[in-house]
Protein backbone atom coordinates (compact mmCIF):
# COMPACT_ATOMS: atom_id res chain seq x y z
CA UNK A 1 0.00 0.00 0.00
CA UNK A 2 2.79 2.42 0.92
CA UNK A 3 4.57 1.73 -2.39
CA UNK A 4 1.35 2.48 -4.26
CA UNK A 5 1.03 5.86 -2.49
CA UNK A 6 4.63 6.69 -3.33
CA UNK A 7 4.03 5.84 -6.99
CA UNK A 8 0.89 8.02 -7.05
CA UNK A 9 2.81 10.90 -5.47
CA UNK A 10 5.63 10.47 -8.01
CA UNK A 11 3.11 10.46 -10.87
CA UNK A 12 1.50 13.68 -9.60
CA UNK A 13 4.89 15.40 -9.28
CA UNK A 14 5.92 14.33 -12.80
CA UNK A 15 2.59 15.52 -14.24
CA UNK A 16 2.97 18.88 -12.49
CA UNK A 17 6.51 19.22 -13.80
CA UNK A 18 5.44 18.49 -17.36
CA UNK A 19 2.61 20.98 -17.23
CA UNK A 20 4.93 23.72 -15.94
CA UNK A 21 7.34 23.02 -18.81
CA UNK A 22 4.47 23.40 -21.25
CA UNK A 23 3.61 26.81 -19.75
CA UNK A 24 7.22 27.96 -20.06
CA UNK A 25 7.38 27.01 -23.73
CA UNK A 26 4.16 28.92 -24.38
CA UNK A 27 5.68 32.05 -22.85
CA UNK A 28 8.80 31.57 -24.97
CA UNK A 29 6.63 31.63 -28.11
CA UNK A 30 5.00 34.98 -27.23
CA UNK A 31 6.56 38.22 -28.44
CA UNK A 32 7.18 41.26 -26.22
CA UNK A 33 3.97 42.98 -27.37
CA UNK A 34 1.86 39.96 -26.45
CA UNK A 35 3.48 39.75 -23.00
CA UNK A 36 2.96 43.48 -22.38
CA UNK A 37 -0.61 43.24 -23.70
CA UNK A 38 -1.31 40.41 -21.30
CA UNK A 39 -0.18 42.52 -18.37
CA UNK A 40 -2.20 45.57 -19.50
CA UNK A 41 -5.31 43.67 -20.58
CA UNK A 42 -8.38 44.22 -18.43
CA UNK A 43 -10.02 47.06 -16.54
CA UNK A 44 -8.18 49.65 -14.45
CA UNK A 45 -9.85 52.27 -12.24
CA UNK A 46 -9.79 54.24 -8.96
CA UNK A 47 -7.20 56.97 -9.68
CA UNK A 48 -4.59 57.59 -6.95
CA UNK A 49 -1.06 59.05 -6.75
CA UNK A 50 -2.09 61.81 -9.13
CA UNK A 51 0.60 64.15 -10.46
CA UNK A 52 -0.34 67.25 -12.48
CA UNK A 53 1.49 70.45 -13.44
CA UNK A 54 1.20 73.38 -11.03
CA UNK A 55 -2.20 75.02 -11.34
CA UNK A 56 -3.93 71.92 -12.76
CA UNK A 57 -6.26 70.25 -10.25
CA UNK A 58 -6.09 66.50 -9.68
CA UNK A 59 -9.78 66.34 -10.64
CA UNK A 60 -8.68 66.41 -14.27
CA UNK A 61 -8.55 62.59 -14.02
CA UNK A 62 -12.16 62.38 -12.80
CA UNK A 63 -13.23 58.83 -11.95
CA UNK A 64 -10.97 57.43 -14.70
CA UNK A 65 -11.64 53.87 -15.86
CA UNK A 66 -9.52 52.34 -18.63
CA UNK A 67 -10.31 49.10 -20.45
CA UNK A 68 -7.72 47.31 -22.60
CA UNK A 69 -8.88 44.29 -24.61
CA UNK A 70 -6.82 41.80 -26.61
CA UNK A 71 -7.63 39.57 -29.55
CA UNK A 72 -7.53 35.76 -29.55
CA UNK A 73 -3.74 35.87 -30.15
CA UNK A 74 -3.17 38.09 -27.09
CA UNK A 75 -2.39 41.19 -29.14
CA UNK A 76 -3.86 44.65 -28.44
CA UNK A 77 -7.38 45.14 -29.72
CA UNK A 78 -9.75 47.76 -28.31
CA UNK A 79 -9.20 50.61 -25.83
CA UNK A 80 -11.94 52.44 -23.97
CA UNK A 81 -11.62 55.26 -21.44
CA UNK A 82 -14.57 56.24 -19.29
CA UNK A 83 -15.19 59.09 -16.86
CA UNK A 84 -12.10 61.14 -17.76
CA UNK A 85 -13.16 63.29 -20.76
CA UNK A 86 -10.40 65.88 -20.30
CA UNK A 87 -7.67 63.25 -20.72
CA UNK A 88 -9.39 60.77 -23.08
CA UNK A 89 -12.33 61.75 -25.27
CA UNK A 90 -14.52 58.83 -24.26
CA UNK A 91 -14.78 57.17 -27.66
CA UNK A 92 -13.47 53.66 -28.20
CA UNK A 93 -10.22 53.26 -30.08
CA UNK A 94 -7.45 50.79 -30.65
CA UNK A 95 -4.09 50.47 -28.96
CA UNK A 96 -0.61 49.18 -29.65
CA UNK A 97 2.16 48.49 -27.18
CA UNK A 98 5.94 48.30 -27.29
CA UNK A 99 8.57 47.88 -24.63
CA UNK A 100 8.54 45.49 -21.71
CA UNK A 101 5.88 44.18 -19.36
CA UNK A 102 7.13 46.51 -16.62
CA UNK A 103 7.73 49.61 -18.74
CA UNK A 104 5.64 49.87 -21.89
CA UNK A 105 4.80 52.59 -24.38
CA UNK A 106 1.13 52.57 -25.36
CA UNK A 107 -0.01 54.25 -28.56
CA UNK A 108 -3.72 54.95 -29.03
CA UNK A 109 -5.64 55.44 -32.27
CA UNK A 110 -9.06 57.06 -32.43
CA UNK A 111 -8.76 58.59 -28.95
CA UNK A 112 -7.97 62.22 -28.10
CA UNK A 113 -6.41 64.37 -26.71
CA UNK A 114 -3.86 61.93 -25.20
CA UNK A 115 -2.75 59.45 -27.84
CA UNK A 116 0.42 58.09 -26.24
CA UNK A 117 1.59 57.30 -22.72
CA UNK A 118 4.08 55.19 -20.82
CA UNK A 119 2.74 52.43 -18.60
CA UNK A 120 4.33 50.72 -15.63
CA UNK A 121 2.43 47.60 -14.61
CA UNK A 122 2.72 45.60 -11.41
CA UNK A 123 0.51 42.75 -10.25
CA UNK A 124 -2.28 45.06 -9.13
CA UNK A 125 -1.50 48.59 -10.32
CA UNK A 126 -0.99 50.49 -13.54
CA UNK A 127 0.77 53.86 -13.56
CA UNK A 128 0.42 55.89 -16.74
CA UNK A 129 2.48 58.99 -17.50
CA UNK A 130 2.19 61.44 -20.38
CA UNK A 131 2.80 65.04 -21.45
CA UNK A 132 -0.25 67.12 -22.29
CA UNK A 133 -1.19 70.71 -23.01
CA UNK A 134 -3.80 72.25 -20.75
CA UNK A 135 -6.00 75.31 -20.43
CA UNK A 136 -7.77 76.69 -17.38
CA UNK A 137 -11.09 77.84 -18.83
CA UNK A 138 -11.77 80.01 -15.74
CA UNK A 139 -8.54 82.03 -15.88
CA UNK A 140 -7.46 81.55 -19.50
CA UNK A 141 -4.05 80.26 -18.33
CA UNK A 142 -2.44 77.65 -20.60
CA UNK A 143 0.57 75.41 -20.41
CA UNK A 144 2.02 72.02 -21.05
CA UNK A 145 3.24 69.58 -18.45
CA UNK A 146 3.71 66.09 -17.14
CA UNK A 147 0.75 64.10 -15.83
CA UNK A 148 0.71 60.77 -14.02
CA UNK A 149 -1.91 58.59 -12.32
CA UNK A 150 -1.97 55.15 -10.75
CA UNK A 151 -4.97 52.87 -11.29
CA UNK A 152 -5.92 49.57 -9.66
CA UNK A 153 -6.81 46.38 -11.49
CA UNK A 154 -10.56 45.75 -11.28
Amino acid sequence: MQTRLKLMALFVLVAMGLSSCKDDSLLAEMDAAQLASGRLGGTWAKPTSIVTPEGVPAEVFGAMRLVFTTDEDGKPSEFLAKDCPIVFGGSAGTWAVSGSQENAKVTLTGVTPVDEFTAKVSSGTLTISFKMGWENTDTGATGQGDFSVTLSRQ
Side-chain angles (χ1 to χ4, degrees):
M1 182 75 172
Q2 213 172 22
T3 305
R4 186 175 180 171
L5 286 174
K6 287 180 182 176
L7 285 173
M8 286 292 278
L10 179 61
F11 174 75
V12 169
L13 289 173
V14 168
M16 288 173 55
L18 290 175
S19 69
S20 70
C21 290
K22 189 186 306 180
D23 291 343
D24 290 343
S25 65
L26 178 62
L27 286 177
E29 293 175 14
M30 298 178 82
D31 64 26
Q34 288 170 303
L35 292 172
S37 297
R39 290 287 298 262
L40 282 165
T43 301
W44 302 88
K46 300 182 181 171
T48 61
S49 304
I50 295 171
V51 176
T52 62
E54 186 176 333
V56 177
E59 290 79 19
V60 70
F61 286 103
M64 181 181 276
R65 182 177 189 85
L66 305 181
V67 180
F68 297 87
T69 64
T70 57
D71 65 16
E72 60 277 351
D73 294 324
K75 295 188 178 185
S77 181
E78 197 170 38
F79 171 82
L80 179 63
K82 300 188 101 184
D83 302 324
C84 54
I86 296 170
V87 179
F88 299 107
S91 60
T94 59
W95 62 291
V97 64
S98 60
S100 69
Q101 298 176 62
E102 295 79 23
N103 192 14
K105 177 181 171 185
V106 176
T107 305
L108 305 172
T109 305
V111 179
T112 59
V114 174
D115 59 2
E116 180 179 285
F117 58 84
T118 60
K120 294 183 187 306
V121 183
S122 71
S123 60
T125 62
L126 163 66
T127 301
I128 65 170
S129 303
F130 54 90
K131 187 176 278 289
M132 181 173 89
W134 56 269
E135 177 183 6
N136 183 325
T137 54
D138 293 334
T139 66
T142 61
Q144 184 170 348
D146 296 318
F147 292 77
S148 179
V149 63
T150 299
L151 303 166
S152 300
R153 187 177 289 281
Q154 301 299 294

